């Protein structure tokens, strides 16, 4: 009878220890899952930021090309105005003095 009581107590103690171990493993798994979820969310946020930055870079490149083209047109226009104006014509002072 005593051996059954001791055996029963040992089984309960073993069962309690197993439950405690399982609870610890479960808690550890929960922490790992939360960490993985946090990291995944951080990666997704960084991906969105990268996409936004890439779109911005593309927009700036496009604007830069547009401005370069406009500057070329304006430069040509100014050159044409200067060549048509007598104020900007080069004068040969030697030929006028003779």
């Amino acid at each position: 009878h005593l051996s059954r009581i001791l055996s029963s107590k040992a089984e309960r103690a073993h069962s309690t220890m197993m439950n405690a171990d399982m609870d610890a493993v479960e808690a550890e798994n929960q922490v790992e899952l939360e960490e993985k979820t946090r990291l995944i969310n951080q990666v997704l946020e960084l991906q969105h930021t990268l996409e936004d930055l890439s779109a911005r870079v593309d927009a700036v490149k496009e604007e830069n090309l547009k401005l370069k083209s406009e500057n070329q047109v304006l430069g040509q226009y100014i050159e044409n105005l200067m060549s048509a104006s007598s104020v900007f014509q080069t004068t040969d002072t030697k030929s006028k003095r003779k």
Side-chain angles (χ1 to χ4, degrees), residues 19-38:
N19 287 340
D21 287 344
M22 289 174 64
D23 288 345
V25 168
E26 193 173 307
E28 188 176 317
N29 287 342
Q30 183 64 29
V31 168
E32 282 183 23
L33 181 62
E34 289 172 2
E35 180 67 9
K36 284 180 183 178
T37 301
R38 188 186 67 78

Side-chain angles (χ1 to χ4, degrees), residues 24-88:
V25 168
E26 193 173 307
E28 188 176 317
N29 287 342
Q30 183 64 29
V31 168
E32 282 183 23
L33 181 62
E34 289 172 2
E35 180 67 9
K36 284 180 183 178
T37 301
R38 188 186 67 78
L39 288 173
I40 288 170
N41 287 336
Q42 189 176 9
V43 166
L44 291 173
E45 184 178 331
L46 289 172
Q47 283 178 336
H48 292 303
T49 300
L50 180 59
E51 288 170 0
D52 292 344
L53 288 172
S54 293
R56 178 70 179 132
V57 166
D58 291 342
V60 168
K61 282 181 181 179
E62 190 174 312
E63 182 69 16
N64 186 35
L65 289 173
K66 180 181 167 192
L67 291 173
K68 277 184 181 181
S69 175
E70 289 176 3
N71 283 343
Q72 286 177 339
V73 169
L74 287 173
Q76 187 64 46
Y77 178 72
I78 290 169
E79 279 183 37
N80 292 343
L81 285 176
M82 289 172 60
S83 66
S85 172
S86 61
V87 174
F88 296 105

